[in-house]
Amino acid sequence: QVQLVESGGGLAQPGGSLRLSCAASGSIFRVNAMAWYRQAPGKQRELVAIIISGGATNYADSVKGRFTISRDNAKNTVYLQMNSLKPEDTAVYYCNGNIRTDVIMNNRDYWGQGTQVTVSS
């Protein structure tokens, strides 16, 4: 079993910064990709940023130039540095990992429980 635990959410003012962390633990054979999603009230969950095993990254247009995804492979941890925050960034942010847990098992997706980010003046 694999568990993902997010941390770092909270309240920020417009223009402020937060850094989210997501630590994966359990039986991990290989991490294929890790990503951050977010879901605002009444809206669909959307992809914010993704980083694949080779290190390539991709971002939603709405956060390009403001957010940065990174990882620490030794700690099985992914980060999301959020700068120049806007009220429209307010959402629950979820960590996602596509992970292989055993040599004989298929890849599968795991989700954290989410962390609330609120941007308000």
Side-chain angles (χ1 to χ4, degrees):
Q1 293 183 314
V2 174
Q3 292 182 320
L4 303 180
V5 180
E6 302 101 333
S7 62
L11 177 65
Q13 293 187 324
S17 297
L18 289 171
R19 189 173 84 147
L20 307 182
S21 299
C22 173
S25 62
S27 298
I28 300 174
F29 179 77
R30 179 176 180 176
V31 176
N32 300 306
M34 298 193 75
W36 288 97
Y37 289 75
R38 68 185 181 186
Q39 187 167 24
K43 297 183 178 180
Q44 290 185 286
R45 187 173 298 185
E46 64 174 347
L47 177 66
V48 177
I50 187 168
I51 184 166
I52 64 174
S53 61
T57 60
N58 204 359
Y59 299 89
D61 288 341
S62 60
V63 306
K64 285 182 178 178
R66 300 188 298 119
F67 291 9
T68 302
I69 188 170
S70 62
R71 68 187 183 191
D72 185 333
N73 291 332
K75 298 180 179 179
N76 287 323
T77 300
V78 64
Y79 306 93
L80 185 68
Q81 179 67 45
M82 304 185 294
N83 298 325
S84 302
L85 284 164
K86 303 175 180 180
E88 49 263 46
D89 295 319
T90 296
V92 177
Y93 284 70
Y94 296 92
C95 179
N96 170 269
N98 185 262
I99 297 171
R100 188 174 184 177
T101 59
D102 191 275
V103 67
I104 64 173
M105 299 181 69
N106 294 326
N107 303 322
R108 62 186 66 185
D109 284 316
Y110 296 86
W111 291 89
Q113 293 299 308
T115 184
Q116 176 70 46
V117 171
T118 301
V119 184
S120 177
S121 60

